[in-house]
Amino acid sequence: MNIKNKKAVEQKSIGQNMIYNTLLTVSNFLFPLLTFPYVSRVLSAIGTGRVAYVNSIINYFLYFSMLGIPAYGLRECVKVRDDREKLSQLYQELLCINLVSTIIAYVGLFLAVIYTPKFLQYKNMFISMCMIILLTTIGVEWLYKALEEYRYITLRSLVMRGITVVLTFIFVRDKNDYIAYGILTVFATSASYIFNLYHVRKYVDFKITRKLSLKKHLTPILILFASTIILTIYNNFDISMLGSFSTEDEVGVYNAALKIKNIILALSTSVTAVMISRMVDSYAKNDMNRAKRLLEKSIKVSMVLALPLLTFVAINAKDIIVFICGKDFVDAVPTLRVLCICIVPLILTNVFGNQVLIPLGMEKRFTISVFIGLIINIILNMLLIFRYGATGAAVATLASELWNVYYMGTGRKDIALHLLKAINYFKYILPLVLSVIAFYLISPLLMSINIFFRLVLSTLTFFGTFYTVNIFLREEIICQILRHKILAYLKK
């Protein structure tokens, strides 16, 4: 047993992990915003389009190379993270499987480029950018998440992305520098994985001390891989069907709303994603009381952060769409409102899927759920898109996610019922209702001012009301944060 590793994990704070992971998620949106206005002017739509196209093709081969290892590796590494010898054995086995799948992915990509005339035009870009596949494999990010090294992951990524911003302004100078931009896109995402290969020696040994057992991992990895494929199709299918059965305008409207919804969802799930390793540890030790407490905390954090955010975006959708996308996208308002509603079941499927089913080894039920959800999505898209366009696609997504909540939640009815009974939802609904009332009371007074200042003042009014009422109601998560800050101040 590696006592040092065990103590290091135990000393990590869930709150700190949440902050680091949220900071990493924010950086995923922030850093591209720093460079894209400059890059888009230098390379034009043609140059950035080439990079986006090649990157999208490579990503399919990247998904194949990773199989279901990120989710499976995280789960299994948590179970043995206190034992360096077992962790090293597992690391070696999963890395071997991943290297084999990576080689197959490269062969497939090579053949695709050689025999597809369209791909062959971008041969140099494929050669330059395909390094992301190997770097992601050797990066073993799943191991670091299992060890809850969120501080290391975040700081390492922030440094590399900061360097990428500087290099972008140095090397992308004219319209012919699109290959350099493609390389820097890969560099920003995966160059930090090189450090992982060196840093991993702190936690595992490379020396093989016993025979590697690969076969036992294949079935669960492939089941999780199937769910990854389904989710990839599912996440892109709305736009594909809109493009096929509706107009380009409807695609643009839906895409604008979808981007805003994805930002809210990413921020919401990044906070609770750090819970997964603790959940696996609790299930592995058969400590269901601890697991249920962690799930309660996960739901409460989502209530405190995601619920007011999605509500504010839904009721203020027009100003947000106009401010971010421009007046041409005002038709995206009803679509954005439906997609905001989708965030609630998406958060719940994240809890039941990633924090219950997969940690408990019920990945088969998870895969069945998303597969049936995909079928529901396809059928409803075909029925609704013709008449309702982008909003119809959003309604189809909502129906699919409601199905996933039902099927995943009933996978462990005891846990679902516990969460339904253990949390006082009134503490979150009342502040939300009062915040909406405050927003509509102040809105007529703000109509004549600049949209930016209108958004700032409405944001302060809405969230100020929500969190003030929560403090008076002594909401657990907010009180813990305030107590921690006050104690930290008094210790100075």
Side-chain angles (χ1 to χ4, degrees):
M1 175 152 319
N2 188 355
I3 302 299
K4 183 179 178 181
N5 274 7
K6 185 176 180 179
K7 287 183 176 179
V9 172
E10 288 176 347
Q11 289 171 357
K12 290 181 173 68
S13 159
I14 290 179
Q16 289 178 347
N17 287 345
M18 286 181 175
I19 292 171
Y20 282 122
N21 205 40
T22 302
L23 184 60
L24 181 63
T25 302
V26 171
S27 75
N28 291 338
F29 300 110
L30 181 61
F31 279 97
L33 287 176
L34 296 176
T35 58
F36 191 74
Y38 168 77
V39 169
S40 60
R41 285 197 299 271
V42 173
L43 299 181
S44 77
I46 295 174
T48 56
R50 287 171 179 167
V51 173
Y53 175 70
V54 171
N55 191 53
S56 68
I57 300 301
I58 291 175
N59 277 338
Y60 285 109
F61 292 91
L62 174 62
Y63 293 145
F64 174 82
S65 70
M66 295 309 295
L67 299 176
I69 290 174
Y72 179 76
L74 169 58
R75 183 183 75 192
E76 298 305 308
C77 285
V78 169
K79 295 178 182 178
V80 297
R81 66 186 180 184
D82 298 338
D83 190 318
R84 187 181 181 97
E85 183 179 346
K86 290 182 179 179
L87 184 62
S88 299
Q89 174 85 4
L90 179 62
Y91 163 79
Q92 292 163 8
E93 291 170 351
L94 295 183
L95 185 60
C96 282
I97 295 171
N98 210 168
L99 287 171
V100 171
S101 63
T102 298
I103 292 170
I104 296 172
Y106 271 116
V107 171
L109 179 60
F110 173 78
L111 294 173
V113 172
I114 293 298
Y115 292 106
T116 307
K118 177 76 172 178
F119 293 174
L120 197 57
Q121 296 175 28
Y122 304 107
K123 179 181 67 175
N124 292 335
M125 293 187 69
F126 277 107
I127 293 172
S128 302
M129 295 175 65
C130 72
M131 68 179 82
I132 190 174
I133 299 175
L134 178 62
L135 290 174
T136 303
T137 297
I138 65 175
V140 292
E141 199 83 337
W142 37 269
L143 174 64
Y144 288 91
K145 289 181 179 179
L147 296 169
E148 298 187 31
E149 288 291 332
Y150 288 98
R151 182 176 183 273
Y152 165 76
I153 292 171
T154 301
L155 296 180
R156 172 213 67 191
S157 299
L158 290 176
V159 169
M160 298 309 295
R161 285 171 183 169
I163 293 172
T164 303
V165 170
V166 175
L167 292 178
T168 299
F169 289 109
I170 294 174
F171 291 106
V172 181
R173 307 300 295 271
D174 62 55
K175 64 180 181 180
N176 296 317
D177 291 331
Y178 57 87
I179 293 181
Y181 177 59
I183 294 172
L184 288 170
T185 301
V186 172
F187 184 87
T189 306
S190 57
S192 55
Y193 294 156
I194 297 172
F195 295 100
N196 288 8
L197 189 61
Y198 172 80
H199 191 254
V200 77
R201 296 182 299 175
K202 181 179 177 182
Y203 307 106
V204 298
D205 301 313
F206 289 101
K207 184 179 179 182
I208 298 176
T209 57
R210 64 176 74 176
K211 183 179 179 181
L212 297 180
S213 178
L214 307 182
K215 190 175 180 181
K216 65 182 180 181
H217 302 299
L218 293 179
T219 299
I221 283 175
L222 291 175
I223 291 174
L224 287 169
F225 177 49
S227 69
T228 302
I229 294 173
I230 294 166
L231 286 170
T232 302
I233 297 171
Y234 177 73
N235 290 332
N236 293 285
F237 205 77
D238 291 345
I239 290 179
S240 299
M241 291 200 72
L242 273 170
S244 300
F245 300 117
S246 190
T247 64
E248 291 180 351
D249 183 58
E250 287 294 326
V251 175
V253 164
Y254 187 80
N255 190 50
L258 187 65
K259 286 183 182 297
I260 297 172
K261 167 251 182 182
N262 284 341
I263 291 173
I264 301 171
L265 182 63
L267 291 172
S268 304
T269 55
S270 69
V271 176
T272 56
V274 301
M275 297 282 197
I276 297 174
S277 57
R278 300 289 176 102
M279 295 302 306
V280 174
D281 186 57
S282 300
Y283 294 135
K285 295 173 180 176
N286 202 29
D287 189 349
M288 290 305 297
N289 288 330
R290 179 179 176 233
K292 288 177 180 179
R293 287 197 303 272
L294 288 170
L295 286 170
E296 286 177 34
K297 183 173 288 188
S298 187
I299 294 290
K300 288 176 180 177
V301 168
S302 295
M303 287 287 185
V304 168
L305 297 178
L307 196 60
L309 183 58
L310 67 91
T311 303
F312 176 75
V313 172
I315 63 176
N316 209 17
K318 184 176 180 180
D319 277 357
I320 291 171
I321 286 285
V322 171
F323 179 72
I324 294 176
C325 305
K327 292 181 180 179
D328 291 342
F329 290 88
V330 73
D331 288 342
V333 170
T335 304
L336 177 58
R337 284 175 174 155
V338 177
L339 289 176
C340 281
I341 299 172
C342 291
I343 294 173
V344 176
L346 278 166
I347 289 171
L348 293 174
T349 55
N350 176 61
V351 171
F352 292 128
N354 294 324
Q355 297 181 40
V356 178
L357 295 184
I358 293 176
L360 283 170
M362 300 174 67
E363 56 268 8
K364 188 174 181 180
R365 188 178 184 91
F366 177 83
T367 303
I368 291 171
S369 180
V370 295
F371 177 72
I372 296 175
L374 174 61
I375 301 301
I376 293 171
N377 189 261
I378 292 171
I379 294 171
L380 290 179
N381 268 318
M382 294 178 70
L383 294 173
L384 298 175
I385 283 176
F386 285 107
R387 184 168 183 178
Y388 301 105
T391 304
V395 171
T397 298
L398 177 59
S400 303
E401 293 305 331
L402 289 172
W403 155 259
N404 283 329
V405 171
Y406 166 75
Y407 193 74
M408 291 185 190
T410 53
R412 281 299 301 262
K413 291 181 182 179
D414 57 323
I415 293 176
L417 289 173
H418 172 80
L419 293 175
L420 193 62
K421 296 176 181 178
I423 298 174
N424 182 3
Y425 294 96
F426 174 77
K427 279 190 175 183
Y428 305 98
I429 301 301
L430 177 62
L432 198 64
V433 171
L434 294 176
S435 301
V436 172
I437 293 172
F439 170 83
Y440 280 112
L441 286 175
I442 197 175
S443 289
L445 305 176
L446 304 178
M447 293 306 295
S448 59
I449 66 175
N450 176 276
I451 189 170
F452 172 77
F453 293 107
R454 189 160 70 239
L455 281 171
V456 170
L457 291 174
S458 59
T459 299
L460 292 173
T461 301
F462 183 89
F463 289 97
T465 303
F466 181 82
Y467 290 115
T468 300
V469 176
N470 267 295
I471 291 170
F472 279 110
L473 292 176
R474 295 184 173 276
E475 198 285 323
E476 180 186 348
I477 301 296
I478 294 176
C479 287
Q480 285 180 359
I481 293 171
L482 290 175
R483 196 179 301 119
H484 174 76
K485 293 295 182 183
I486 293 170
L487 289 173
Y489 176 78
L490 293 174
K491 287 178 181 178
K492 289 182 179 179

